[in-house]
Amino acid sequence: EAQVTQNPRYLITVTGKKLTVTCSQNMNHEYMSWYRQDPGLGLRQIYYSMNVEVTDKGDVPEGYKVSRKEKRNFPLILESPSPNQTSLYFCASSPTAAGEQFFGPGTRLTVL
Amino acid sequence: ILNVEQSPQSLHVQEGDSTNFTCSFPSSNFYALHWYRWETAKSPEALFVMTLNGDEKKKGRISATLNTKEGYSYLYIKGSQPEDSATYLCASLAGSARQLTFGSGTQLTVLP
């Protein structure tokens, strides 16, 4: 089944404790991206990747890192999480940047 | 950062009513316009991707139009059903066509 998977789905952590949210897609898509969703603000892009080893900042990259060592995986790293990073995070993939995005199930992160 | 706006923010309609929402986006450097449907506790799912001025797309009772010269798109739902209740998101791709910017969505509730 074609899908985008994210793990964990839910996470409660404390300020400053490094964490990684994994994202994997099995559709051989070149384009992958991370979004955060906050009430009233819609989806905001954190980082995106056009292909392996090619990553770029989105609209809200501060406090986040990503890597794209393999085509299928695009982990989101929070080196030192802070409470303002409490949010719902979505990973998405697409054949190209212009193509329809296939979203993962979301990760709800709470930083205390 | 592109300014993509959607109106109305929320909408309640009776079952059987037809309705429409608006997405406005910067017309300069336009590349593509996406519509997504996002049900509560699920992930956004693509409805349409449109690229050409005058594009009209249809999927069942839902259709969309695109005016790239004036920078707006309409989403229409004919004969709304309770299962149409969701948040409808539009997203614009512009410039170098690498970064998708979402509006904050229109939350539709269809009352039985």
Side-chain angles (χ1 to χ4, degrees), chain B residues 12-105:
Chain B
H12 289 70
V13 301
Q14 288 294 137
E15 182 175 355
D17 288 350
S18 294
T19 187
N20 65 83
F21 333 127
T22 305
C23 173
S24 62
F25 53 88
S27 55
S28 62
N29 240 357
F30 172 83
Y31 194 91
L33 192 284
H34 295 204
W35 281 101
Y36 292 84
R37 182 170 179 273
W38 189 6
E39 291 182 70
T40 303
K42 293 187 177 180
S43 306
E45 291 184 348
L47 288 170
F48 306 113
V49 176
M50 296 186 287
T51 56
L52 299 175
N53 185 44
D55 253 357
E56 290 189 30
K57 296 215 171 177
K58 188 175 181 182
K59 187 181 283 190
R61 294 179 291 98
I62 304 177
S63 60
T65 61
L66 179 67
N67 183 322
T68 62
K69 293 184 179 179
E70 296 181 44
Y72 65 85
S73 175
Y74 292 136
L75 188 80
Y76 300 91
I77 302 179
K78 186 177 177 183
S80 303
Q81 299 297 308
E83 57 265 30
D84 296 328
S85 297
T87 296
Y88 292 83
L89 299 169
C90 71
S92 178
L93 195 66
S96 57
R98 297 185 300 177
Q99 190 174 345
L100 203 57
T101 300
F102 282 82
S104 54

Side-chain angles (χ1 to χ4, degrees), chain A residues 9 31 35 37 40-45 48 50 56-59 88 90 97-106, chain B residues 1-2 9 31-32 34 36 38 41-46 49 51 89 93 96-105:
Chain A
R9 296 287 313 280
Y31 185 88
Y35 299 89
Q37 196 274 325
L41 293 179
L43 288 169
R44 292 182 293 167
Q45 195 173 48
Y48 61 96
M50 299 289 285
D56 276 300
K57 296 177 181 179
D59 294 327
L88 177 61
F90 285 102
E100 68 174 79
Q101 305 276 302
F102 292 81
F103 284 85
Chain B
I1 298 177
L2 285 183
Q9 196 171 9
Y31 194 91
H34 295 204
Y36 292 84
W38 189 6
K42 293 187 177 180
S43 306
E45 291 184 348
V49 176
T51 56
L89 299 169
L93 195 66
S96 57
R98 297 185 300 177
Q99 190 174 345
L100 203 57
T101 300
F102 282 82
S104 54

Side-chain angles (χ1 to χ4, degrees), chain A residues 33-89:
Chain A
S33 59
W34 276 102
Y35 299 89
R36 62 178 288 175
Q37 196 274 325
D38 302 291
L41 293 179
L43 288 169
R44 292 182 293 167
Q45 195 173 48
I46 303 170
Y47 269 94
Y48 61 96
S49 170
M50 299 289 285
N51 213 326
V52 175
E53 302 291 3
V54 180
T55 62
D56 276 300
K57 296 177 181 179
D59 294 327
V60 288
E62 295 77 22
Y64 304 94
K65 282 186 178 179
V66 292
S67 69
R68 188 91 182 273
K69 293 187 171 63
E70 306 164 281
K71 200 170 190 178
R72 64 185 293 127
N73 296 323
F74 191 45
L76 180 71
I77 303 153
L78 284 73
E79 294 270 2
S80 184
S82 61
N84 65 12
Q85 292 178 298
T86 293
S87 188
L88 177 61
Y89 292 87

